[in-house]
Amino acid sequence: MSDYVEIYTDGACKGNPGPGGWGALLVCKGVERELWGGEPATTNNRMELMAAIRALGELKRACQVRLVTDSEYVMRGIQEWMPGWKKRGWKTSARQPVKNADLWQLLDEQVGRHQVTWEWVRGHTGHHGNERADQLANRGVDEVRRA
């Protein structure tokens, strides 16, 4: 039986584009692990994607994952848009290159390693895991701005 892991992710950006950060809270068997990072010039959507990519990448073996995000962009991309993008060679229905295709491809690779259930929550409504991920993403922004 593979481990069951809950992951809460969030991205933040001060300006869009601007300095950005990502954060993730991983919970497995009651043990919590916090991850965060940032980039000096990025977008909120890229940071939302990075949070999920880096969190899934931390898992050393295949796991059952419940990934909770407040990003409609990530949710719709993974559940609605990605199958078409892949069929069209990472082009949109208008035959334009998919924005952030590099990160979508990395996320697709990470998702393929696990059994992932996606869940969307409204941000900033007091959801414990989402609030922690938001704090971690903002820590990532702060560290980039101080560097």
Side-chain angles (χ1 to χ4, degrees), residues 24-40:
L25 174 67
L26 288 70
V27 184
C28 181
K29 298 176 184 165
V31 177
E32 294 186 352
R33 176 135 188 242
E34 297 178 335
L35 305 171
W36 68 90
E39 295 178 19

